Amino acid sequence: MSVKNAQAKASLASLIEDKLGFTMVKSRDFGTRSASDNSYSAQGTMPISYSVRSDESLLKRALKRQQLNKIQRQQNIEQITAMALSVCPDVTSQGRPDPDWLEHYIVLAEDIANQNMQKLWAKILVGETVSPGTFSIKSLQTLKQMTQREASALQKCAALCGYLEKEDSYLILLGYYKKPSFFDLLRKGNKESINLANAGLSFPNILTLMDINLLYRKEIESASLKQGQPMQFSFHSKKLTLTPKSNELVLSYYKLTQTGDELKKLVSSPINKKYKHQLEQALAEEFECHWS
Protein backbone atom coordinates (compact mmCIF):
# COMPACT_ATOMS: atom_id res chain seq x y z
CA MET A 1 0.00 0.00 0.00
CA SER A 2 1.40 3.40 -0.95
CA VAL A 3 1.86 6.23 1.54
CA LYS A 4 -0.99 8.20 -0.09
CA ASN A 5 -3.34 5.23 0.21
CA ALA A 6 -2.32 4.71 3.82
CA GLN A 7 -2.94 8.39 4.62
CA ALA A 8 -6.34 8.31 2.92
CA LYS A 9 -7.40 5.19 4.81
CA ALA A 10 -6.26 6.67 8.13
CA SER A 11 -8.15 9.87 7.37
CA LEU A 12 -11.28 7.92 6.41
CA ALA A 13 -11.07 5.80 9.57
CA SER A 14 -10.79 8.94 11.70
CA LEU A 15 -13.76 10.53 9.94
CA ILE A 16 -15.90 7.42 10.47
CA GLU A 17 -14.97 7.26 14.15
CA ASP A 18 -15.94 10.93 14.60
CA LYS A 19 -19.35 10.35 13.02
CA LEU A 20 -20.19 6.91 14.42
CA GLY A 21 -18.53 7.20 17.81
CA PHE A 22 -16.88 3.81 17.30
CA THR A 23 -13.75 2.48 15.62
CA MET A 24 -13.98 0.29 12.52
CA VAL A 25 -11.58 -2.68 12.51
CA LYS A 26 -10.73 -5.45 10.11
CA SER A 27 -12.68 -8.64 10.76
CA ARG A 28 -10.64 -11.58 12.09
CA ASP A 29 -11.55 -13.97 9.28
CA PHE A 30 -9.97 -11.55 6.81
CA GLY A 31 -6.63 -11.50 8.55
CA THR A 32 -5.02 -14.04 6.25
CA ARG A 33 -6.34 -12.60 3.01
CA SER A 34 -4.04 -10.64 0.74
CA ALA A 35 -4.71 -7.02 -0.14
CA SER A 36 -5.40 -8.08 -3.73
CA ASP A 37 -7.99 -10.76 -2.81
CA ASN A 38 -11.21 -9.64 -4.47
CA SER A 39 -13.11 -12.94 -4.18
CA TYR A 40 -16.90 -12.90 -4.20
CA SER A 41 -19.50 -14.95 -2.34
CA ALA A 42 -21.83 -17.47 -3.98
CA GLN A 43 -24.44 -14.69 -4.23
CA GLY A 44 -22.02 -12.58 -6.28
CA THR A 45 -21.43 -9.97 -3.57
CA MET A 46 -18.03 -8.97 -2.32
CA PRO A 47 -17.68 -9.61 1.44
CA ILE A 48 -17.03 -6.59 3.69
CA SER A 49 -13.79 -6.93 5.63
CA TYR A 50 -14.44 -4.24 8.28
CA SER A 51 -16.87 -4.01 11.17
CA VAL A 52 -17.48 -1.88 14.26
CA ARG A 53 -15.34 -2.69 17.30
CA SER A 54 -17.85 -2.56 20.14
CA ASP A 55 -19.62 -4.81 22.63
CA GLU A 56 -22.68 -2.54 22.62
CA SER A 57 -25.87 -3.44 20.74
CA LEU A 58 -26.79 -1.96 17.37
CA LEU A 59 -29.54 0.09 19.09
CA LYS A 60 -27.09 1.60 21.59
CA ARG A 61 -24.67 2.41 18.80
CA ALA A 62 -27.49 4.12 16.86
CA LEU A 63 -28.46 6.15 19.92
CA LYS A 64 -24.83 7.21 20.42
CA ARG A 65 -24.60 8.37 16.80
CA GLN A 66 -27.78 10.40 17.27
CA GLN A 67 -26.27 12.01 20.36
CA LEU A 68 -23.10 12.89 18.45
CA ASN A 69 -25.22 14.47 15.69
CA LYS A 70 -27.16 16.51 18.23
CA ILE A 71 -23.94 17.67 19.88
CA GLN A 72 -22.50 18.71 16.50
CA ARG A 73 -25.68 20.59 15.56
CA GLN A 74 -25.74 22.36 18.90
CA GLN A 75 -22.10 23.33 18.48
CA ASN A 76 -22.80 24.64 14.95
CA ILE A 77 -25.70 26.85 16.00
CA GLU A 78 -23.80 28.17 19.02
CA GLN A 79 -20.84 29.13 16.83
CA ILE A 80 -23.11 30.83 14.28
CA THR A 81 -25.03 32.84 16.89
CA ALA A 82 -21.78 33.84 18.60
CA MET A 83 -20.46 35.11 15.26
CA ALA A 84 -23.72 36.99 14.70
CA LEU A 85 -23.39 38.82 18.03
CA SER A 86 -19.76 39.64 17.22
CA VAL A 87 -20.59 41.37 13.93
CA CYS A 88 -23.99 42.88 14.79
CA PRO A 89 -23.87 46.69 14.40
CA ASP A 90 -25.08 49.02 17.15
CA VAL A 91 -28.19 50.21 15.29
CA THR A 92 -31.91 50.34 15.98
CA SER A 93 -33.77 47.19 14.98
CA GLN A 94 -36.90 47.58 12.84
CA GLY A 95 -38.63 44.73 14.67
CA ARG A 96 -38.24 41.06 15.56
CA PRO A 97 -37.81 38.29 12.97
CA ASP A 98 -40.94 36.30 12.21
CA PRO A 99 -41.09 33.30 14.64
CA ASP A 100 -41.69 30.83 11.78
CA TRP A 101 -38.75 32.28 9.85
CA LEU A 102 -36.56 31.87 12.94
CA GLU A 103 -37.57 28.23 13.37
CA HIS A 104 -36.71 27.49 9.73
CA TYR A 105 -33.41 29.33 10.16
CA ILE A 106 -32.38 27.25 13.20
CA VAL A 107 -33.26 23.95 11.50
CA LEU A 108 -31.24 24.86 8.39
CA ALA A 109 -28.30 26.55 10.11
CA GLU A 110 -27.60 23.83 12.67
CA ASP A 111 -26.18 21.56 9.95
CA ILE A 112 -23.61 24.16 8.80
CA ALA A 113 -20.18 23.13 10.05
CA ASN A 114 -17.92 24.89 7.52
CA GLN A 115 -16.56 28.05 9.16
CA ASN A 116 -16.78 30.21 6.02
CA MET A 117 -20.40 29.21 5.49
CA GLN A 118 -21.12 29.82 9.18
CA LYS A 119 -20.05 33.44 8.68
CA LEU A 120 -22.66 33.85 5.94
CA TRP A 121 -25.36 32.35 8.14
CA ALA A 122 -24.35 34.70 10.95
CA LYS A 123 -24.73 37.66 8.58
CA ILE A 124 -28.21 36.44 7.63
CA LEU A 125 -29.30 36.37 11.27
CA VAL A 126 -27.93 39.88 11.83
CA GLY A 127 -29.60 41.20 8.67
CA GLU A 128 -32.95 39.70 9.58
CA THR A 129 -32.70 41.03 13.15
CA VAL A 130 -31.93 44.57 11.97
CA SER A 131 -34.51 44.53 9.16
CA PRO A 132 -37.03 41.64 9.25
CA GLY A 133 -38.00 40.37 5.80
CA THR A 134 -34.53 40.87 4.30
CA PHE A 135 -33.97 37.15 3.66
CA SER A 136 -36.67 34.75 2.50
CA ILE A 137 -36.88 31.11 3.53
CA LYS A 138 -36.30 30.25 -0.14
CA SER A 139 -32.95 32.06 0.00
CA LEU A 140 -32.01 30.13 3.15
CA GLN A 141 -32.82 26.84 1.43
CA THR A 142 -30.79 27.84 -1.64
CA LEU A 143 -27.79 28.79 0.51
CA LYS A 144 -28.06 25.52 2.46
CA GLN A 145 -27.82 23.49 -0.75
CA MET A 146 -25.02 25.50 -2.34
CA THR A 147 -21.77 23.71 -3.09
CA GLN A 148 -18.36 25.31 -2.66
CA ARG A 149 -18.18 25.75 -6.46
CA GLU A 150 -21.52 27.56 -6.50
CA ALA A 151 -20.48 29.76 -3.57
CA SER A 152 -17.28 30.63 -5.45
CA ALA A 153 -19.31 31.61 -8.53
CA LEU A 154 -21.47 33.90 -6.36
CA GLN A 155 -18.33 35.50 -4.92
CA LYS A 156 -17.01 36.25 -8.42
CA CYS A 157 -20.40 37.54 -9.51
CA ALA A 158 -20.67 39.88 -6.51
CA ALA A 159 -17.50 41.74 -7.55
CA LEU A 160 -19.17 42.70 -10.86
CA CYS A 161 -22.62 43.61 -9.56
CA GLY A 162 -23.94 47.15 -9.55
CA TYR A 163 -27.06 48.13 -7.62
CA LEU A 164 -29.68 50.08 -9.57
CA GLU A 165 -31.92 51.82 -7.06
CA LYS A 166 -34.88 52.48 -9.39
CA GLU A 167 -35.18 48.72 -10.02
CA ASP A 168 -34.12 47.80 -6.47
CA SER A 169 -31.93 45.08 -7.90
CA TYR A 170 -28.35 44.08 -8.62
CA LEU A 171 -27.20 43.63 -12.20
CA ILE A 172 -24.07 43.06 -14.25
CA LEU A 173 -23.60 45.52 -17.10
CA LEU A 174 -22.62 43.77 -20.33
CA GLY A 175 -22.37 46.72 -22.72
CA TYR A 176 -24.70 48.70 -24.96
CA TYR A 177 -25.84 49.30 -28.51
CA LYS A 178 -27.29 52.26 -30.33
CA LYS A 179 -30.62 51.73 -32.03
CA PRO A 180 -30.31 51.96 -35.82
CA SER A 181 -31.72 54.97 -37.56
CA PHE A 182 -34.67 54.91 -39.99
CA PHE A 183 -32.22 54.48 -42.87
CA ASP A 184 -30.27 51.69 -41.16
CA LEU A 185 -32.84 49.24 -39.81
CA LEU A 186 -30.96 46.02 -40.56
CA ARG A 187 -28.17 46.28 -38.02
CA LYS A 188 -27.36 47.56 -34.58
CA GLY A 189 -24.88 50.37 -34.61
CA ASN A 190 -22.06 51.13 -32.19
CA LYS A 191 -22.40 47.87 -30.30
CA GLU A 192 -19.95 47.38 -27.42
CA SER A 193 -19.72 44.27 -25.24
CA ILE A 194 -17.73 43.32 -22.15
CA ASN A 195 -16.04 39.93 -21.83
CA LEU A 196 -16.87 38.85 -18.28
CA ALA A 197 -14.45 35.93 -18.46
CA ASN A 198 -11.57 38.44 -18.58
CA ALA A 199 -12.81 39.72 -15.23
CA GLY A 200 -12.92 36.24 -13.69
CA LEU A 201 -16.58 35.30 -14.26
CA SER A 202 -16.49 32.50 -16.83
CA PHE A 203 -19.45 31.29 -18.87
CA PRO A 204 -19.65 28.06 -16.78
CA ASN A 205 -19.86 30.31 -13.68
CA ILE A 206 -22.75 32.18 -15.28
CA LEU A 207 -24.56 28.94 -16.15
CA THR A 208 -24.05 27.72 -12.58
CA LEU A 209 -25.66 30.88 -11.19
CA MET A 210 -28.55 30.49 -13.62
CA ASP A 211 -29.01 26.83 -12.69
CA ILE A 212 -29.41 27.65 -8.98
CA ASN A 213 -31.75 30.55 -9.79
CA LEU A 214 -29.49 33.41 -8.70
CA LEU A 215 -29.29 34.92 -12.19
CA TYR A 216 -32.04 35.28 -14.80
CA ARG A 217 -31.35 33.11 -17.83
CA LYS A 218 -31.76 35.80 -20.49
CA GLU A 219 -29.76 38.91 -21.18
CA ILE A 220 -31.95 41.96 -20.47
CA GLU A 221 -32.04 45.29 -22.31
CA SER A 222 -32.92 48.66 -20.84
CA ALA A 223 -35.39 51.07 -22.35
CA SER A 224 -33.95 53.58 -24.81
CA LEU A 225 -31.95 56.16 -22.88
CA LYS A 226 -32.25 59.89 -23.44
CA GLN A 227 -29.29 62.19 -23.99
CA GLY A 228 -28.14 63.83 -20.77
CA GLN A 229 -30.35 61.66 -18.51
CA PRO A 230 -28.00 60.15 -15.86
CA MET A 231 -28.22 56.68 -14.37
CA GLN A 232 -26.48 55.83 -11.10
CA PHE A 233 -25.13 52.43 -10.07
CA SER A 234 -23.64 51.51 -6.69
CA PHE A 235 -20.63 49.18 -6.68
CA HIS A 236 -19.87 48.46 -3.01
CA SER A 237 -18.29 51.72 -1.78
CA LYS A 238 -18.17 53.39 -5.21
CA LYS A 239 -20.92 54.99 -7.30
CA LEU A 240 -20.93 55.17 -11.08
CA THR A 241 -22.96 57.82 -12.88
CA LEU A 242 -23.54 57.11 -16.57
CA THR A 243 -24.78 60.00 -18.71
CA PRO A 244 -25.69 59.21 -22.36
CA LYS A 245 -24.11 61.52 -24.94
CA SER A 246 -26.92 60.86 -27.44
CA ASN A 247 -30.41 59.37 -27.70
CA GLU A 248 -31.45 55.80 -28.55
CA LEU A 249 -28.76 54.07 -26.47
CA VAL A 250 -29.70 50.71 -24.92
CA LEU A 251 -27.79 49.05 -22.07
CA SER A 252 -27.62 45.25 -21.85
CA TYR A 253 -27.14 43.39 -18.58
CA TYR A 254 -27.66 40.24 -16.56
CA LYS A 255 -30.07 40.71 -13.68
CA LEU A 256 -30.02 38.89 -10.36
CA THR A 257 -33.21 37.17 -9.23
CA GLN A 258 -34.82 37.99 -5.88
CA THR A 259 -32.90 35.12 -4.30
CA GLY A 260 -29.72 36.35 -5.98
CA ASP A 261 -30.31 39.88 -4.67
CA GLU A 262 -30.74 38.58 -1.13
CA LEU A 263 -27.65 36.36 -1.17
CA LYS A 264 -25.56 39.07 -2.89
CA LYS A 265 -26.04 41.18 0.27
CA LEU A 266 -23.99 38.58 2.16
CA VAL A 267 -20.93 39.10 -0.06
CA SER A 268 -19.34 42.49 0.36
CA SER A 269 -16.81 42.73 -2.47
CA PRO A 270 -15.16 45.82 -3.99
CA ILE A 271 -15.61 46.14 -7.74
CA ASN A 272 -13.34 43.91 -9.79
CA LYS A 273 -10.57 46.17 -11.17
CA LYS A 274 -10.38 44.41 -14.54
CA TYR A 275 -14.15 44.68 -14.95
CA LYS A 276 -14.07 48.37 -13.99
CA HIS A 277 -11.41 49.03 -16.64
CA GLN A 278 -13.37 47.11 -19.33
CA LEU A 279 -16.56 48.95 -18.39
CA GLU A 280 -14.92 52.35 -18.76
CA GLN A 281 -13.39 51.41 -22.12
CA ALA A 282 -16.62 49.96 -23.52
CA LEU A 283 -18.81 52.91 -22.51
CA ALA A 284 -16.41 55.79 -23.09
CA GLU A 285 -17.51 56.62 -26.66
CA GLU A 286 -21.22 57.07 -25.94
CA PHE A 287 -21.36 57.74 -22.18
CA GLU A 288 -19.83 60.12 -19.71
CA CYS A 289 -18.59 57.95 -16.82
CA HIS A 290 -18.14 59.55 -13.43
CA TRP A 291 -17.01 57.64 -10.33
CA SER A 292 -17.56 58.99 -6.83
Side-chain angles (χ1 to χ4, degrees):
M1 184 184 296
S2 69
V3 174
K4 281 189 176 180
N5 288 340
Q7 289 174 342
K9 183 165 285 190
S11 177
L12 177 58
S14 175
L15 184 151
I16 292 170
E17 185 174 358
D18 286 345
K19 292 301 178 183
L20 296 186
F22 297 94
T23 304
M24 299 289 287
V25 295
K26 202 163 192 177
S27 301
R28 292 179 181 177
D29 58 340
F30 276 81
T32 57
R33 293 177 182 268
S34 68
S36 61
D37 188 353
N38 292 327
S39 59
Y40 286 78
S41 68
Q43 290 76 29
T45 59
M46 188 174 180
I48 299 174
S49 59
Y50 285 84
S51 61
V52 171
R53 183 172 65 188
S54 174
D55 295 328
E56 295 185 3
S57 68
L58 187 62
L59 175 59
K60 287 185 176 180
R61 298 203 299 271
L63 291 173
K64 182 171 183 179
R65 184 171 64 85
Q66 288 180 347
Q67 290 175 339
L68 289 174
N69 286 338
K70 288 180 178 179
I71 291 170
Q72 181 63 61
R73 289 190 175 110
Q74 183 64 21
Q75 185 178 30
N76 291 342
I77 202 65
E78 287 181 5
Q79 288 175 334
I80 290 170
T81 50
M83 287 179 185
L85 281 171
S86 299
V87 299
C88 187
D90 189 14
V91 296
T92 302
S93 175
Q94 297 176 18
R96 291 178 64 86
D98 179 82
D100 290 339
W101 182 94
L102 195 56
E103 287 300 317
H104 279 284
Y105 174 87
I106 295 295
V107 170
L108 293 169
E110 66 183 2
D111 286 328
I112 307 302
N114 180 281
Q115 192 173 42
N116 290 330
M117 296 301 288
Q118 285 181 346
K119 291 177 182 178
L120 296 182
W121 283 86
K123 288 182 179 180
I124 286 178
L125 185 56
V126 171
E128 193 68 17
T129 302
V130 172
S131 181
T134 300
F135 298 98
S136 65
I137 293 173
K138 183 179 179 181
S139 291
L140 299 185
Q141 292 169 335
T142 299
L143 182 61
K144 172 73 177 288
Q145 296 170 358
M146 282 178 68
T147 64
Q148 194 62 45
R149 179 173 63 87
E150 291 165 346
S152 175
L154 175 59
Q155 183 83 38
K156 294 173 182 177
C157 168
L160 312 184
C161 285
Y163 177 73
L164 185 58
E165 187 172 352
K166 72 174 185 177
E167 292 193 16
D168 189 26
S169 182
Y170 288 96
L171 49 85
I172 302 175
L173 288 170
L174 301 174
Y176 74 92
Y177 72 86
K178 188 167 186 176
K179 284 189 173 181
S181 67
F182 178 77
F183 299 102
D184 191 15
L185 295 175
L186 299 179
R187 67 182 180 85
K188 293 180 179 180
N190 298 340
K191 182 175 174 65
E192 289 288 344
S193 299
I194 296 170
N195 188 340
L196 299 183
N198 290 340
L201 187 68
S202 66
F203 190 62
N205 290 153
I206 294 170
L207 292 179
T208 293
L209 295 171
M210 290 177 175
D211 286 342
I212 59 176
N213 195 37
L214 299 189
L215 208 61
Y216 284 110
R217 289 191 172 276
K218 291 186 177 179
E219 184 178 317
I220 299 174
E221 294 183 350
S222 70
S224 296
L225 305 178
K226 295 181 180 180
Q227 181 179 358
Q229 184 177 12
M231 295 180 70
Q232 191 174 79
F233 301 86
S234 297
F235 290 87
H236 191 45
S237 59
K238 292 185 177 295
K239 293 186 184 297
L240 170 63
T241 302
L242 293 181
T243 307
K245 297 178 182 178
S246 60
N247 293 319
E248 303 302 317
L249 294 170
V250 176
L251 290 172
S252 60
Y253 54 89
Y254 285 132
K255 186 176 180 181
L256 272 65
T257 63
Q258 180 181 340
T259 300
D261 280 337
E262 292 179 11
L263 296 184
K264 160 64 183 73
K265 295 172 185 175
L266 300 174
V267 187
S268 182
S269 301
I271 185 171
N272 181 291
K273 291 181 179 179
K274 290 183 179 179
Y275 175 71
K276 180 175 180 287
H277 180 66
Q278 285 190 85
L279 192 61
E280 291 168 343
Q281 281 192 323
L283 302 179
E285 185 176 343
E286 290 286 356
F287 292 86
E288 291 181 6
C289 303
H290 176 70
W291 294 92
S292 59

